[in-house]
Amino acid sequence: MRTVSETWFRHDSHESVKEFVCVLPLSYFRFSAYDRYVGSTRYRMDSLFRVFVLKELHGCEHETALVDYLENHPELCEQLDFETIPDQSTLWRSWHERFTADLRETVETAARTILIKAQNSEVEVPREPTRKLRYHGNKSDESDPNDQTTLEQAEKIIDHVSRLVFPAFSLDRGEGCEIHENAYWGLQTYLGLRENLAANEGARSFIHESTRDRTPLGHAHRDQIRDLSIKKIREMYRQAVTRLLDEVGRTEEFFRAGIVAIDITEADPFTGDRMGHEDEIIGTKEKTDEYAYQWATVQLVGNAVPIVLDARPVRRGESRKEIVEDLLDSAEAAVHVDNVLMDREFDSQHVLEMISLRGLSYVVPKRMQTSEKAQAKRLLRHNQDRYETDRKLHLGKNEWHETTLVYRRKEDSEHDDHRQYSVFMTNRGSGHLTEYGHRWEIESGYKSIKRFMAATTSKDFGLRFFYFAFACLLYSIWRAVDLLVQAELTGEYEHSPVITADNTLTLLKKETGIG
């Protein structure tokens, strides 16, 4: 069985995997495109093959979802040569009764290959592809490394990485302390193993699961963390990440130059009394009547391993320019930065000017004002999918920032008016627009980071930030270890992790004195 040619994919420059499926050369696969009859309706085998590849691409669990998708895309049915849309039972029988096991595996392999090649070619994909590990020099008929082999390799790497990274954190305690400092980091890692686990409850369980003679109680743990200033926490975090980058930078698979994404995330809504903490519990990004702590990060995205380079709290009164400048200082001190991706909340002309003066490129969505809405309406009347124009943004005192506005029509938009269009700003032309698709990685990263956070009801700002920063570190260790394991076992790096977050945390807790 053969897979889709990466060269064929790249040279045809397809803009979506849906388009690719419609013109997929079936000579790459071992079966003949015989017609199949279902009832009185004839369906070509190649059309059925393509539609099941499409089902796999979108991760549809049932044929009903696939039917709904086809009904909403009549132009796709025409491209697939369907005289009529197959119903759910037709698709079910075709897949389970008429497709052999080998052919079903071929469909799944084709879909996975398309997703991987599309992602590597910076084509937007509907879901993250699954990856398979192979040893160096493995032939196609050889089996993949089993889970035990992968975990054994991960354990060796985590042992090495943890000895490098955790010493960057220090509680600055006096000499002669009975409880080893690593016990505190072990407890913090342990809290990240389970969702919504607070320090008191976690410390009680930690006593029984740790191999240490002495472990900290919950209140003692919190007291030690509260003594750390936010400045100190950030210094330690950057030192730990530098050590992590140095380790992954030894591999050919690590892309040191690249793209960073800056974003702000918020904690769960705060429901208590925030009196005296109004500058720290500042609200939500969606401008609701809720309040929440907010944290900003800068993270590697694109082909690079998605390590969080720095994190900082967001306080009331801080400008977006101040936040971006601070995070870019950290990022450029750690890696070579080419391009900066941000959300539309950073579309200030002063932010964009500051990035340009650093010699960096940017891609930022623009909030649509009156002029952008009017232009989008004109594009809609002319049925135009894309439009590019230069714009000068006023900086004050007769100074201007020159940028390019790129209007792009959203595929399958739920709107039928000008809201079908998105507007992006960039200082390097529309060619960089495809890179913005990498920004989704920071959102998916936040989900994992919050999964690693210990629970707390404390309003102590430093404690809250430490919990977030330490979760960022655990996430970054996970992704770095995953790269190192893949590089060791296969000599390549595929973006979708082969080591789970739980595997990493479970092994990490052994290195910090648990188990």
Side-chain angles (χ1 to χ4, degrees):
M1 181 176 63
R2 301 167 67 186
T3 56
V4 180
S5 164
E6 182 175 8
T7 303
W8 189 91
F9 193 104
R10 184 185 297 117
H11 287 183
D12 275 57
S13 301
H14 298 290
E15 296 183 357
S16 70
V17 292
K18 181 174 69 176
E19 176 189 355
F20 184 86
V21 170
C22 292
V23 294
L24 179 64
L26 298 188
S27 58
Y28 281 100
F29 304 96
R30 246 189 238 159
F31 75 92
S32 300
Y34 295 125
D35 292 354
R36 289 294 174 112
Y37 286 86
V38 181
S40 60
T41 306
R42 184 186 70 177
Y43 293 103
R44 287 179 54 84
M45 192 64 167
D46 59 345
S47 298
L48 290 172
F49 181 87
R50 288 189 174 96
V51 81
F52 284 122
V53 170
L54 196 67
K55 177 176 178 287
E56 287 293 322
L57 288 173
H58 286 271
C60 299
E61 294 185 4
H62 306 288
E63 286 74 17
T64 302
L66 179 59
V67 172
D68 291 341
Y69 185 84
L70 294 173
E71 288 176 345
N72 291 326
H73 297 81
E75 79 288 349
L76 180 59
C77 295
E78 183 178 345
Q79 290 175 290
L80 291 170
D81 293 327
F82 282 146
E83 296 176 4
T84 60
I85 298 176
D87 58 25
Q88 182 270 338
S89 61
T90 295
L91 291 171
W92 190 93
R93 288 197 302 274
S94 296
W95 179 256
H96 292 278
E97 298 177 2
R98 293 176 174 83
F99 273 44
T100 64
D102 286 344
L103 189 50
R104 289 196 296 268
E105 183 182 352
T106 301
V107 168
E108 293 164 356
T109 301
R112 183 173 61 251
T113 303
I114 291 170
L115 288 171
I116 292 171
K117 301 307 181 188
Q119 195 175 63
N120 292 344
S121 302
E122 299 186 349
V123 174
E124 186 176 352
V125 295
R127 67 177 179 87
E128 183 75 12
T130 56
R131 313 283 180 144
K132 287 189 176 181
L133 278 176
R134 292 194 182 280
Y135 286 109
H136 294 294
N138 266 14
K139 297 181 180 179
S140 59
D141 59 349
E142 290 181 350
S143 61
D144 298 329
N146 58 36
D147 291 342
Q148 185 61 38
T149 302
T150 303
L151 288 176
E152 287 173 357
Q153 188 63 44
E155 185 169 10
K156 294 176 184 176
I157 291 172
I158 285 174
D159 177 38
H160 178 62
V161 167
S162 62
R163 294 176 190 276
L164 292 173
V165 172
F166 283 114
F169 279 77
S170 173
L171 293 173
D172 292 331
R173 300 184 303 160
E175 296 182 1
C177 296
E178 295 183 5
I179 300 177
H180 195 283
E181 190 169 282
N182 281 354
Y184 290 89
W185 313 134
L187 174 56
Q188 193 67 40
T189 303
Y190 181 78
L191 298 178
L193 277 169
R194 296 174 176 83
E195 293 188 65
N196 299 317
L197 184 61
N200 282 347
E201 180 186 353
R204 287 193 291 268
S205 300
F206 187 56
I207 292 173
H208 303 291
E209 294 201 35
S210 174
T211 58
R212 297 182 181 277
D213 295 332
R214 296 288 303 276
T215 60
L217 297 176
H219 71 274
H221 179 75
R222 289 194 303 273
D223 288 344
Q224 290 288 344
I225 301 303
R226 286 194 190 101
D227 288 341
L228 296 172
S229 67
I230 288 175
K231 179 181 178 182
K232 178 65 174 178
I233 294 169
R234 292 189 66 192
E235 288 175 353
M236 294 189 300
Y237 183 88
R238 288 192 293 264
Q239 184 180 356
V241 166
T242 298
R243 297 181 179 190
L244 201 58
L245 290 170
D246 288 342
E247 190 63 25
V248 296
R250 302 176 192 276
T251 69
E252 295 180 359
E253 292 73 27
F254 175 63
F255 297 89
R256 185 169 285 275
I259 310 167
V260 298
I262 293 175
D263 206 349
I264 293 174
T265 188
E266 58 199 29
D268 292 335
F270 184 85
T271 56
D273 179 10
R274 68 186 189 104
M275 184 176 296
H277 300 270
E278 292 87 351
D279 291 339
E280 301 164 354
I281 312 173
I282 59 177
T284 62
K285 294 164 63 176
E286 298 300 324
K287 308 300 181 184
T288 66
D289 59 355
E290 295 180 324
Y291 296 96
Y293 292 91
Q294 292 187 12
W295 322 112
T297 64
V298 58
Q299 176 181 311
L300 285 171
V301 293
N303 289 326
V305 57
I307 290 174
V308 180
L309 301 173
D310 195 12
R312 55 160 290 162
V314 179
R315 294 181 175 88
R316 185 181 304 280
E318 291 181 317
S319 69
R320 292 297 186 253
K321 179 175 179 290
E322 181 181 353
I323 293 169
V324 173
E325 199 164 20
D326 182 20
L327 292 175
L328 281 181
D329 285 344
S330 298
E332 291 194 283
V335 296
H336 176 76
V337 178
D338 292 321
N339 195 8
V340 183
L341 309 178
M342 298 177 292
D343 200 359
R344 56 176 45 85
E345 66 181 299
F346 296 98
D347 68 354
S348 161
Q349 61 268 38
H350 294 94
V351 172
L352 305 183
E353 176 71 4
M354 178 268 294
I355 294 173
S356 290
L357 290 176
R358 288 174 175 258
L360 306 177
S361 61
Y362 62 78
V363 179
V364 185
K366 187 181 188 306
R367 285 170 280 200
M368 294 183 74
Q369 308 297 339
T370 302
S371 61
E372 288 81 38
K373 292 176 182 177
Q375 181 61 61
K377 291 175 182 177
R378 286 192 290 270
L379 295 174
L380 184 62
R381 286 197 300 270
H382 292 88
N383 197 29
Q384 189 172 343
D385 293 337
R386 198 179 182 96
Y387 176 72
E388 186 174 326
T389 184
D390 293 333
R391 173 75 65 85
K392 288 186 177 181
L393 305 176
H394 190 226
L395 295 169
K397 297 182 180 180
N398 202 30
E399 295 179 331
W400 303 84
H401 174 72
E402 296 184 2
T403 190
T404 299
L405 299 189
V406 181
Y407 293 75
R408 190 172 68 179
R409 198 174 195 170
K410 304 172 190 173
E411 186 178 351
D412 304 327
S413 173
E414 61 183 15
H415 303 290
D416 57 4
D417 57 10
H418 68 278
R419 288 174 292 178
Q420 295 180 34
Y421 293 88
S422 296
V423 186
F424 293 86
M425 295 186 291
T426 178
N427 59 346
R428 292 291 188 273
S430 60
H432 281 257
L433 210 60
T434 56
E435 294 181 348
Y436 192 76
H438 294 308
R439 196 194 150 276
W440 68 267
E441 296 170 19
I442 202 167
E443 297 293 346
S444 62
Y446 280 149
K447 292 180 181 178
S448 295
I449 289 167
K450 291 176 180 179
R451 152 73 177 81
F452 297 154
M453 285 183 65
T456 183
T457 57
S458 172
K459 286 184 278 191
D460 186 276
F461 200 42
L463 179 70
R464 288 265 186 173
F465 176 63
F466 179 84
Y467 279 9
F468 177 77
F470 201 86
C472 288
L473 180 64
L474 293 178
Y475 172 79
S476 299
I477 290 174
W478 165 38
R479 300 309 301 259
V481 166
D482 179 71
L483 179 146
L484 294 170
V485 169
Q486 290 193 47
E488 182 65 27
L489 294 182
T490 71
E492 298 178 352
Y493 173 58
E494 301 286 6
H495 214 67
S496 183
V498 299
I499 300 294
T500 69
D502 283 341
N503 288 156
T504 303
L505 285 176
T506 301
L507 294 173
L508 263 177
K509 71 176 184 177
K510 291 180 64 177
E511 302 307 325
T512 48
I514 313 170

